[in-house]
Amino acid sequence: MARDFSNPKKLGFMRFLQVVFLFNILLTLALSAFLIKGNYTLGFADVLDYLNLIFEAMSFWLIWQRKRAARVLIISFCLFNIVIGTGVNIGAGTFDVLDQALLSFFDIILIAYFLTSRRAKAVLTEPFTAAAKDEELKREIGYYQPRTWEFWRNLIMYFCVFSVVGHWMEAAYCTLIKYGILPGIYDPASQIWSDWLYPFPVYGVGAVACVLLFYPIKNALEKRIGSRVAPLLISFVINAFACTLIELAMGLALNMDYALWDYRGMFGNFMGQVCLQNAVAFGIAATLMTWVIYPAMESGLRKLPKDAVNTAFAGILVGFAILAFLYLATFASSGVEVSSDGMDTTLTLDLGGKEAEG
């Protein structure tokens, strides 16, 4: 009886590859967090390893989406690893056929599998075609429906969630600065290193801006321009420029004394309020939000029962309110005191020499 290799739910060895790729990405990034600035030097092999992480992330995504391009990408990058590794060893005078074969063993296995596997050829069939792009674009345009309750409900949830997630993203970005992977100023006393649930509403506003402003621009560019690459690049430039203008406006209004941030020592800075590195980072984050994260979240929420999403909305809204009161709300009166003995909570107000308890 002939085996059926066309079932897209049965990935076989490719599922194992996805697990290996994901594990290696998470492990390498976790170990990178322990690098101490000044105590290490990134060699060519280290750079190649980080480049492979990017390749593995792309391969993971393409296999997940059953894209035909996964085979081409994996075979091409494995050949790249073999050629580069061989060239470096020959140049260094350390080339040995057996050692090189052992170092390239995993790449050779992947090349052989994706060249010969019937399952890979039968499952990885989705093309990057104009028809597929048009169908995807129609679906994504349908996500932008500002006249519906569901649109604003989801938008409020994104504001609440990304106010906290943005905090974690900034911490990750500053960690790269801390360990010398990116240039910049590391401040160990910053609020981001404590109170991990502290909401930064600016990131929530950023997520909302991506949906309300950048997402329609992205859809319009895709609709007007036939290819996928050109709209993506134009969208990135617009996103980076707009976010940089917003940061510049905030800096001129709130940071003329450079108390909040100071980019005067950064390459490509303007008045010390904005810099090229942050512009690129903003562009990447906003482009990921508009092209990947927002459509994926909308697609996921639409697969859930309406009552389940509404219930989650209520929980997220109240949870964010709790965080806002715990971390953001302040009392104008210095005579407010809250105490608790574990059973009862007492609120004491000092009203001009008179005390009132509740």
Side-chain angles (χ1 to χ4, degrees), residues 309-320:
V309 180
N310 286 333
T311 302
F313 168 74
I316 290 173
L317 193 62
V318 172
F320 181 78

Side-chain angles (χ1 to χ4, degrees), residues 5-321:
F5 291 100
S6 62
N7 187 346
K9 294 184 179 180
K10 295 182 178 180
L11 292 178
F13 179 67
M14 288 182 287
R15 182 70 72 194
F16 169 74
L17 279 182
Q18 284 186 303
V19 173
V20 171
F21 288 161
L22 183 60
F23 177 78
N24 188 47
I25 291 170
L26 296 177
L27 179 62
T28 304
L29 292 179
L31 292 176
S32 297
F34 291 95
L35 295 175
I36 300 175
K37 185 176 181 179
N39 290 357
Y40 69 91
T41 301
L42 289 179
F44 179 80
D46 299 310
V47 174
L48 193 60
D49 286 341
Y50 283 119
L51 191 60
N52 271 274
L53 284 192
I54 298 173
F55 148 73
E56 290 173 4
M58 295 169 64
S59 300
F60 180 95
W61 174 259
L62 290 174
I63 293 174
W64 186 15
Q65 296 296 306
R66 312 301 192 259
K67 294 295 185 181
R68 186 185 305 158
R71 295 179 63 238
V72 176
L73 175 68
I74 292 173
I75 291 172
S76 300
F77 209 89
C78 289
L79 288 172
F80 170 80
N81 282 335
I82 293 173
V83 171
I84 292 297
T86 302
V88 169
N89 288 333
I90 291 175
T94 58
F95 177 75
D96 179 83
V97 175
L98 181 58
D99 288 343
Q100 190 60 47
L102 291 174
L103 290 172
S104 305
F105 180 74
F106 189 60
D107 292 309
I108 295 171
I109 291 294
L110 291 185
I111 291 173
Y113 175 79
F114 283 99
L115 281 176
T116 61
S117 170
R118 289 196 295 168
R119 186 184 298 279
K121 294 177 181 178
V123 171
L124 302 176
T125 58
E126 292 295 323
F128 285 127
T129 64
K133 185 180 80 67
D134 290 343
E135 187 64 30
E136 182 180 344
L137 180 58
K138 289 179 182 178
R139 184 172 63 251
E140 293 187 358
I141 288 176
Y143 296 151
Y144 191 81
Q145 298 179 353
R147 295 184 179 181
T148 64
W149 150 248
E150 289 77 13
F151 176 84
W152 294 103
R153 174 201 64 195
N154 295 354
L155 203 60
I156 293 171
M157 287 197 295
Y158 300 150
F159 168 79
C160 296
V161 170
F162 280 95
S163 292
V164 178
V165 173
H167 176 175
W168 303 340
M169 292 173 62
E170 183 175 350
Y173 183 73
C174 291
T175 298
L176 297 178
I177 295 175
K178 174 183 179 181
Y179 294 115
I181 299 174
L182 288 177
I185 300 174
Y186 167 67
D187 181 9
S190 173
Q191 178 69 51
I192 65 172
W193 304 116
S194 60
D195 297 329
W196 288 102
L197 291 179
Y198 191 102
F200 285 20
V202 64
Y203 293 115
V205 172
V208 170
C210 286
V211 175
L212 293 180
L213 301 178
F214 302 149
Y215 189 70
I217 294 175
K218 169 255 185 195
N219 289 337
L221 288 170
E222 281 198 282
K223 194 172 182 179
R224 189 173 184 84
I225 304 175
S227 71
R228 177 60 68 93
V229 176
L232 178 62
L233 294 177
I234 296 172
S235 174
F236 168 80
V237 172
I238 292 174
N239 297 345
F241 184 71
C243 291
T244 302
L245 282 181
I246 293 172
E247 185 180 34
L248 177 61
M250 292 178 60
L252 295 177
L254 305 172
N255 192 46
M256 289 305 294
D257 59 352
Y258 302 102
L260 299 176
W261 65 82
D262 185 356
Y263 302 144
R264 285 176 291 184
M266 298 290 290
F267 172 76
N269 80 87
F270 178 70
M271 299 179 65
Q273 302 295 346
V274 295
C275 64
L276 181 60
Q277 177 178 302
N278 276 17
V280 173
F282 287 143
I284 292 173
T287 304
L288 280 174
M289 183 67 185
T290 44
W291 283 77
V292 179
I293 298 173
Y294 175 67
M297 291 188 301
E298 283 294 310
S299 176
L301 288 176
R302 290 178 182 229
K303 294 176 182 178
L304 298 175
K306 182 178 180 180
D307 288 340
V309 180
N310 286 333
T311 302
F313 168 74
I316 290 173
L317 193 62
V318 172
F320 181 78

